């Protein structure tokens, strides 16, 4: 019945020109009421023309149409609605590839019907020919052989075209398989990312639930639960701040020490790098040379390497330090030694304020003889570095990681991060907001294995022999700011307020520690993880899975380091604090 | 190019019933993953037949191929034009043929087909003209009588 209605409408809409040509075609083609695809208007005029009861004609048409459809269904054609020529022509018609045409393929598969018959005749003739070979003249044999040769050649050509046809179909199928596989991997990756996000959300949800619960329950002490957590008010284990170093005028960006009674080197945004003696708590002096803030440094027994915002890396030799100190500086450094030795719970007293102001006026020695070499090559801030023996790896905001040979001072390998990141779809919304974050938050290497944490939240493992990244651990939802690994685990901290512990061999996440503030720095050993995030130092005991924290800093903690029994932290309050474990 | 497309005479030569049956069997046998060559073979066999029903089926099949295989569209233009021509849809036949000539202005067979379509058109016009003329004569005579 629906078909009937459409007819009437289309009939009304037909133009005079249409009706003229279609009338002629209808009148002079075998007069049937067949469903002629592509010319609905023709049928409409036919119903009008015939003058017979339109619905009768239409119903006949309907019957034939369904019969046709059934016939088509039998033959397997999937034709639901007839399409007009204009509609078809409006579709894109691409350039025909240089392949066997359909007709050639047709001829190859069915070379006709005529040549088959000819073949039979040929067979008979051949038989005759052979039987009468002695009597017929040799020309006949020759011509029959010639024609047979032609036939075989044609057969050959036919087979060739058949092969090409099938080959092209196979190629088409292979191409579509490839696209489907690519789609599959893409979606699989997306799925894994979403599950990660889901886990994180579940964690934060757990946090919020706990917070709500604890608020409603008041002061009940509870144990910190292992996964997902918040150190909370329980376990108030404030560590003792043994000493505070004043002297810097700006945020302490990084620090390192080489022994509980050795030297401590700290760098700050006031563009100075200071060396302190941990046995006397005195400032031994300042290291000149860098033109901008030092963002990262590492200290071994006597060698110090610093990376700075002026795009260079400098190496220093601190072996002769104590001598320099004695021979040169007359300046007393009252601030460091006298005060602040007895802070039990890290609270400031008024005297501290005085010291601080006095220290800024003190005269600090400039240690000129320590500088050994400068490594330049980066075109952006050097944000993190790690060295061992003669090999140094540095990451920079110019989106590369470079490997240097400390003996020659040359860069031996550059790894392009953009390229490595471009192959995975880990670009997310946070990247546009993270303008002030370091591109490479942390790195560490051991022999030929390098591990890097970058702004896209991914941790990549590289092989330094090939310079290629062979594995990516995805999971952080914010730029990675700090990273360390040992034989079994990789521990990374990020702006997304979590610390993740990964199993080094499988790459699976073992634990996620959730905090309230972005994690800026961490260090771990087999028994504990020290995390610098927010204003207090967070200690996570890996054995008992307990959290504790040390208060003392009045502003965010930027960097933490420990060595044996001594823990040092530097913060945005420009102080460097020593803690006992 | 001449080898790639059939001539008009070929389009009119009919396949025997058994041959068409063979093509049909192959088409059904290949089932869901039927190759485009098999589809074309069957469709072309259908179009060549004298039976109008089969011709329509063939055209429908070809339209399917046209829609589903973009690479073969240009060739299908010719076959669709031929098919519609045989069915009597001179309008559509002309449209398809013109489209093909746009892409390949030097195509023999397309030119030949265009000639045929126009001839049909003229014949049609001529007949309609005479019908109209006869019709008016009858009408005027009737009116005169009244």
């Amino acid at each position: 019945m629906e078909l009937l209605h459409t007819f009437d409408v289309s009939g009304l809409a037909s133009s005079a020109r249409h009706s003229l040509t279609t009338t002629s075609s209808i009148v002079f083609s075998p007069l049937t009421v067949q469903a002629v695809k592509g010319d609905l208007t023709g049928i409409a005029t036919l119903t009008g023309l015939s003058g017979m009861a339109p619905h009768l004609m239409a119903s006949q048409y309907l019957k034939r149409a369904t019969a046709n459809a059934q016939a088509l269904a039998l033959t397997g054609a999937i034709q639901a609605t007839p399409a007009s020529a204009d509609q078809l022509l409006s579709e894109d018609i691409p350039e025909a590839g240089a392949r066997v045409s359909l007709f050639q393929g047709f001829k190859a598969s069915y070379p006709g019907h005529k040549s088959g018959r000819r073949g039979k005749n040929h067979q008979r003739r051949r038989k005759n020919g052979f039987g009468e070979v002695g009597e017929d003249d040799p020309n006949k044999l020759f011509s029959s052989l010639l024609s047979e040769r032609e036939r075989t050649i044609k057969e050959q050509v036919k087979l060739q075209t058949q092969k090409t046809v099938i080959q092209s179909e196979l190629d088409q199928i292979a191409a579509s398989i490839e696209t489907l596989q690519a789609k599959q991997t893409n979606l699989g990756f997306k799925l894994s990312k979403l599950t990660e996000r889901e886990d994180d959300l579940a964690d934060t949800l757990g946090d919020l639930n706990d917070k709500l619960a604890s608020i409603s329950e008041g002061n009940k002490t509870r144990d910190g639960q292992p996964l997902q957590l918040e150190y909370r008010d329980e376990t108030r284990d404030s560590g003792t701040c043994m000493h505070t170093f004043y002297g810097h005028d700006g945020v302490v960006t990084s620090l390192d020490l080489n022994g509980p009674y050795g030297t401590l080197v700290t760098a700050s945004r006031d563009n100075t790098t200071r060396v302190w003696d941990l046995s006397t708590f005195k400032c031994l002096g300042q290291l000149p040379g860098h033109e901008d803030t030092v963002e990262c440094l590492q200290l071994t027994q006597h060698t110090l390497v610093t990376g700075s915002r002026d795009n260079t890396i400098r190496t220093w030799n601190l072996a002769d330090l104590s001598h320099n100190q004695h021979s040169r500086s007359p300046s007393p450094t009252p601030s460091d030694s006298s005060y602040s030795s007895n802070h039990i719970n890290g609270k400031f007293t008024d005297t501290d304020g005085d010291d601080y102001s006095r220290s800024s006026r003190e005269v600090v020695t400039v240690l000129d003889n320590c500088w050994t070499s400068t490594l330049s090559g980066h075109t952006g801030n050097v944000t993190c570095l790690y060295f061992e023996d003669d090999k140094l790896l540095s990451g920079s905001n110019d989106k590369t990681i470079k490997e240097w040979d400390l003996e020659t001072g040359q860069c031996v390998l550059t790894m392009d991060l953009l390229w490595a990141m471009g192959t995975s779809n880990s670009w997310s919304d946070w990247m546009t907001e993270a303008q002030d974050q370091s591109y490479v938050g942390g790195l560490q290497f051991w022999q030929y294995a390098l591990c890097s944490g970058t702004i896209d939240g991914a941790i990549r493992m590289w092989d330094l022999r090939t310079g290629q990244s062979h594995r990516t651990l995805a999971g952080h939802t914010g730029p990675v700011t700090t990273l360390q690994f040992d034989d079994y685990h990789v521990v990374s901290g990020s702006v997304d307020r979590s610390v993740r512990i990964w199993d080094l061999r499988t790459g699976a996440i073992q634990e996620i520690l959730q905090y309230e503030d972005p994690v800026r720095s961490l260090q771990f050993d087999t028994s504990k993880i020290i995390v610098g995030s927010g204003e207090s130092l967070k200690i996570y005991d890996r054995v008992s899975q307990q959290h504790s924290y040390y208060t003392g800093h009045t502003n965010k903690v930027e960097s933490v380091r420990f060595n044996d029994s001594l823990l040092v932290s530097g913060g945005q309050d420009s102080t460097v604090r020593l803690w006992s474990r | 190019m001449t080898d790639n497309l059939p001539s008009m005479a070929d389009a009119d030569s009919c396949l025997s019933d058994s041959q068409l049956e063979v093509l049909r069997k192959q088409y059904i046998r290949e089932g869901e993953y039927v190759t485009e060559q098999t589809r074309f073979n069957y469709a072309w066999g259908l179009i060549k037949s004298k039976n109008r029903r089969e011709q329509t089926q063939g055209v429908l099949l070809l339209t399917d191929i046209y829609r589903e295989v973009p690479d073969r569209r240009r060739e299908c233009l010719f076959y669709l034009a031929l098919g519609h021509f045989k069915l009597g849809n001179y309008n559509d036949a002309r449209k398809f043929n013109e489209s093909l000539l746009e892409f390949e202005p030097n195509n023999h067979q397309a030119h030949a087909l265009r000639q045929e379509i126009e001839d049909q058109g003229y014949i049609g016009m001529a007949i309609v003209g005479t019908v109209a003329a006869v019709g008016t004569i009858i009408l005027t005579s009737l009116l005169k009588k009244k």
Side-chain angles (χ1 to χ4, degrees):
Chain A
M1 285 316 282
E2 289 162 341
L3 224 50
L4 176 67
H5 291 301
T6 48
F7 276 146
D8 291 336
V9 169
S10 55
L12 288 170
S14 66
S15 64
R17 181 177 60 87
H18 249 225
S19 52
L20 192 63
T21 44
T22 49
T23 317
S24 57
S25 57
I26 301 279
V27 167
F28 288 96
S29 58
L31 200 67
T32 58
V33 196
Q34 278 287 321
V36 175
K37 197 171 61 76
D39 228 336
L40 277 180
T41 53
I43 302 296
T45 40
L46 176 65
T47 57
L49 242 192
S50 61
M52 295 181 354
H55 60 270
L56 264 182
M57 291 292 284
S59 61
Q60 262 193 338
Y61 169 85
L62 196 56
K63 275 195 218 149
R64 297 276 182 115
T66 45
N68 230 7
Q70 280 170 0
L72 284 176
L74 280 176
T75 57
I78 328 161
Q79 180 55 18
T81 50
S84 72
D86 294 323
Q87 196 183 342
L88 287 177
L89 282 172
S90 64
E91 290 186 38
D92 184 37
I93 301 177
E95 177 73 48
R99 282 185 297 165
V100 181
S101 81
L102 286 171
F103 190 60
Q104 281 175 325
F106 178 79
K107 283 199 287 183
S109 2
Y110 294 90
H113 341 290
K114 296 165 200 163
S115 50
R117 265 180 269 137
R118 224 186 293 133
K120 270 199 239 160
N121 290 343
H122 241 265
Q123 288 276 0
R124 268 188 254 123
R125 250 184 270 144
R126 257 185 74 200
K127 272 202 214 148
N128 292 343
F130 274 19
E132 304 165 25
V133 76
E135 299 172 27
D136 282 343
D137 57 330
N139 282 343
K140 217 178 187 179
L141 182 62
F142 181 71
S143 56
S144 65
L145 281 177
L146 253 186
S147 39
E148 172 145 350
R149 176 177 172 274
E150 278 190 33
R151 247 191 339 118
T152 25
I153 290 180
K154 278 194 192 154
E155 276 281 334
Q156 252 190 347
V157 170
K158 180 182 80 152
L159 285 172
Q160 288 266 3
T161 43
Q162 277 182 320
K163 275 179 66 182
T164 337
V165 163
I166 294 182
Q167 188 59 46
S168 61
E169 297 250 12
L170 283 174
D171 292 337
Q172 274 181 324
I173 292 176
S176 41
I177 288 180
E178 265 185 48
T179 42
L180 284 176
Q181 274 180 340
K183 239 189 175 181
Q184 191 185 37
T185 39
N186 225 6
L187 288 175
F189 184 69
K190 278 192 190 166
L191 188 66
S192 64
K193 291 218 83 185
L194 286 176
T195 356
E196 281 280 3
R197 284 239 178 130
E198 201 182 26
D199 290 337
D200 288 343
L201 281 178
D203 292 346
T204 29
L205 188 64
D207 282 354
L208 293 170
N209 286 341
D210 287 339
K211 274 191 193 172
L212 287 169
S214 67
I215 287 174
S216 60
E217 283 181 31
N219 294 334
K220 226 198 257 184
T221 47
R222 247 202 321 257
D223 283 352
Q225 284 144 13
L227 254 182
Q228 25 167 280
L229 266 302
E230 248 199 302
Y231 47 93
R232 259 314 167 171
D233 328 298
E234 317 62 21
T235 55
R236 241 187 212 278
D237 221 354
S238 337
T240 38
C241 176
M242 285 186 344
H243 188 86
T244 310
F245 288 114
Y246 296 95
H248 278 298
D249 281 330
V251 172
V252 176
T253 51
S254 62
L255 47 84
D256 203 358
L257 65 160
N258 63 0
Y261 299 106
T263 17
L264 165 73
V265 181
T266 61
S268 140
R269 292 253 164 90
D270 63 359
N271 291 6
T272 60
T273 317
R274 285 174 184 244
V275 184
W276 315 78
D277 185 330
L278 288 171
S279 37
T280 61
F281 293 150
K282 282 190 188 187
C283 174
L284 295 174
Q286 247 190 56
L287 295 171
H290 275 297
E291 286 150 35
D292 206 337
T293 334
V294 168
E295 294 281 337
C296 54
L297 57 87
Q298 187 183 344
L299 176 64
T300 56
Q301 196 51 37
H302 291 300
T303 326
L304 168 71
V305 178
T306 55
S308 148
R309 259 196 205 167
D310 64 3
N311 306 356
T312 61
I313 301 169
R314 285 173 187 252
T315 58
W316 318 74
N317 184 339
L318 300 179
D320 303 322
L321 217 46
S322 35
H323 295 307
N324 278 347
Q325 166 61 19
H326 286 314
S327 59
R328 293 263 229 101
S329 89
S331 66
T333 51
S335 57
D336 305 319
S337 43
S338 353
Y339 311 85
S340 61
S341 327
N342 295 319
H343 288 192
I344 309 272
N345 35 15
K347 283 210 183 125
F348 283 115
T349 62
D350 285 340
T351 43
D352 286 358
D354 291 340
D355 303 339
Y356 188 69
S357 51
R358 219 186 295 180
S359 69
S360 54
R361 283 186 257 119
E362 108 212 43
V363 178
V364 179
T365 36
V366 173
L367 305 165
D368 285 324
N369 302 359
C370 301
W371 175 82
T372 37
S373 66
T374 304
L375 306 171
S376 15
H378 275 299
T379 53
N381 283 12
V382 178
T383 52
C384 64
L385 57 82
Y386 189 84
F387 79 95
E388 207 169 282
D389 295 334
D390 278 330
K391 189 150 64 174
L392 164 71
L393 266 285
S394 61
S396 149
N397 275 4
D398 65 359
K399 306 181 188 164
T400 61
I401 296 180
K402 284 185 190 272
E403 179 189 337
W404 310 80
D405 180 354
L406 285 173
E407 261 187 290
T408 61
Q410 295 302 319
C411 168
V412 298
L413 178 64
T414 304
M415 284 164 275
D416 191 341
L417 284 170
L418 261 189
W419 188 82
M421 291 212 279
T423 51
S424 60
N425 338 352
S426 39
W427 293 88
S428 315
D429 339 86
W430 78 71
M431 289 207 57
T432 47
E433 298 163 345
Q435 292 306 334
D436 55 343
Q437 299 293 340
S438 319
Y439 217 81
V440 185
L443 56 80
Q444 185 184 338
F445 73 92
W446 183 71
Q447 294 196 344
Y448 290 114
L450 165 71
C451 191
S452 70
T454 41
I455 199 174
D456 62 348
I459 295 170
R460 286 188 175 78
M461 317 281 209
W462 309 71
D463 184 338
L464 290 172
R465 290 168 292 197
T466 64
Q468 299 297 324
S469 154
H470 59 82
R471 196 200 245 181
T472 305
L473 302 176
H476 275 297
T477 52
V480 176
T481 49
T482 171
L483 175 151
Q484 187 189 337
F485 67 84
D486 67 355
D487 285 339
Y488 304 105
H489 297 106
V490 178
V491 181
S492 60
S494 146
V495 171
D496 71 357
R497 306 183 205 138
S498 69
V499 167
R500 284 172 193 244
I501 306 175
W502 316 73
D503 182 316
L504 191 56
R505 268 164 306 167
T506 65
I509 295 196
Q510 221 176 52
E511 258 190 273
I512 304 179
L513 307 175
Q514 199 66 40
Y515 294 105
E516 280 185 326
D517 303 277
V519 174
R520 304 228 62 95
S521 168
L522 67 81
Q523 189 175 348
F524 77 97
D525 64 12
T526 44
S527 58
K528 62 190 181 299
I529 306 181
I530 316 272
V531 180
S533 99
E535 286 184 8
S536 53
L537 287 179
K538 321 285 196 276
I539 323 285
Y540 174 64
D541 187 331
R542 293 173 80 186
V543 174
S544 64
Q545 294 192 326
Q546 297 277 354
H547 284 81
S548 50
Y549 65 103
Y550 295 173
T551 42
H553 280 286
T554 51
N555 208 329
K556 299 205 179 27
V557 174
E558 278 292 321
S559 135
V560 295
R561 258 221 136 17
F562 67 83
N563 191 313
D564 275 353
S565 54
L566 192 61
L567 168 63
V568 190
S569 66
Q572 285 187 359
D573 55 359
S574 315
T575 60
V576 178
R577 288 169 194 267
L578 300 179
W579 314 77
S580 69
R581 275 199 51 239
Chain B
M1 201 48 224
T2 45
D3 199 23
N4 284 355
L5 291 176
S7 62
M8 292 299 302
D10 194 21
D12 283 331
S13 70
C14 190
L15 291 180
S16 76
D17 277 343
S18 53
Q19 284 162 344
L20 190 58
E21 190 58 30
V22 167
L23 287 174
R24 180 167 170 277
K25 284 242 169 66
Q26 173 144 29
Y27 181 80
I28 295 182
R29 194 179 349 129
E30 291 196 10
E32 212 180 303
Y33 300 108
V34 59
T35 57
E36 58 186 41
Q37 188 60 54
T38 323
R39 286 166 88 180
F40 171 74
N41 290 348
Y42 184 43
W44 182 232
L46 284 172
I47 289 181
K48 274 154 64 95
S49 87
K50 304 265 184 265
N51 187 338
R52 193 181 162 81
R53 200 144 160 283
E54 286 173 359
Q55 286 170 357
T56 327
Q57 267 182 28
V59 170
L60 282 168
L61 258 180
L62 261 181
T63 322
D64 279 344
I65 297 180
Y66 178 92
R67 258 198 268 160
E68 290 169 28
V69 191
D71 280 336
R72 295 289 191 190
R73 274 189 192 150
R74 221 183 261 187
E75 294 177 61
C76 283
L77 283 175
F78 181 72
Y79 297 107
L80 281 168
L82 250 185
H84 281 295
F85 176 74
K86 286 192 83 175
L87 283 173
N89 304 333
Y90 299 116
N91 231 355
D92 285 338
R94 187 182 307 123
K95 281 191 202 156
F96 284 118
N97 205 22
E98 291 309 312
S99 178
L100 177 64
L101 281 168
E102 267 176 38
F103 285 111
E104 292 179 6
N106 298 327
N107 190 326
H108 258 348
Q109 288 95 336
H111 277 293
L113 181 60
R114 178 199 253 172
Q115 199 55 46
E116 296 266 337
I117 294 176
E118 291 193 6
D119 288 343
Q120 284 293 337
Y122 290 147
I123 295 174
M125 294 271 193
I127 294 179
V128 167
T130 43
V131 165
V134 168
T136 42
I137 292 173
I138 295 174
L139 270 176
T140 44
S141 60
L142 281 173
L143 285 170
K144 271 191 189 164
K145 279 193 186 161
K146 288 213 178 132

